[in-house]
Amino acid sequence: MRYWEDFRVGQTFDLGSVTIDGDEMVRFAERFDPQPFHVDPVAAKDTPFGGLIASGWFTGSIFMRLYVDAVLTGAASQGSPGMSELRWLSPVRAGDELTGRLTVLDVAPSSTKPDRGTVFLRGELLRAGEPVVTTTFRGLFGRHPL
């Protein structure tokens, strides 16, 4: 079990990799973000992207899955009060291989709930070592039982 005390400033986590499945990417966009450059290959050619790209929300979901599998499973996670930043730096396309990385920016015990603390985090999805998605957010984690 990973508790709040187990996170250290500067610590990094390799979240693993995923190859973007084009059918899954389009199905997500059809349901949640049906803009032409996400769902229509013909119309997407006439956009600034020159073809289909993943919805940013899809890439955010990819990051979340990698984060859950690599860090939150087996952790005393108590959710998150939210993000302070989410940036889509470069279009993601079917077939891209993305690697997740998480860095601990800061840790702070709760001032009102002694059984938990906050971990300030920076998440990234990288393609060939270059970030395509970045986010900063806070995670709440239970403290180690006495």
Side-chain angles (χ1 to χ4, degrees):
M1 180 67 62
R2 181 177 287 128
Y3 295 98
W4 174 81
E5 291 86 353
D6 298 317
F7 292 92
R8 302 280 180 259
V9 173
Q11 182 178 21
T12 61
F13 295 87
D14 175 4
L15 304 182
S17 297
V18 64
T19 300
I20 301 302
D21 179 286
D23 292 335
E24 184 180 40
M25 178 183 91
V26 171
R27 279 194 310 275
F28 180 96
E30 287 172 342
R31 180 153 185 218
F32 298 109
D33 191 0
Q35 298 180 73
F37 44 81
H38 296 321
V39 298
D40 184 340
V42 174
K45 288 182 184 192
D46 294 328
T47 69
F49 306 110
L52 282 179
I53 63 167
S55 165
W57 301 111
F58 177 76
T59 58
S61 297
I62 294 289
F63 172 81
M64 189 65 201
R65 180 57 194 245
L66 293 174
Y67 173 47
V68 167
D69 289 349
V71 177
L72 296 183
T73 298
S77 173
Q78 296 183 1
S80 171
M83 291 185 216
S84 54
E85 176 185 83
L86 174 60
R87 309 249 332 149
W88 297 299
L89 304 172
S90 181
V92 170
R93 299 178 192 276
D96 284 354
E97 183 177 356
L98 303 180
T99 300
R101 180 170 60 200
L102 185 72
T103 304
V104 177
L105 302 175
D106 201 2
V107 293
S110 173
S111 61
T112 59
K113 296 186 169 119
D115 64 336
R116 70 177 172 186
T118 300
V119 181
F120 298 85
L121 300 157
R122 175 179 176 81
E124 300 172 285
L125 285 178
L126 305 115
R127 179 181 51 229
E130 294 298 318
V132 296
V133 176
T134 61
T135 181
T136 54
F137 61 101
R138 299 183 318 169
L140 304 176
F141 291 87
R143 296 191 71 170
H144 198 281
L146 299 176

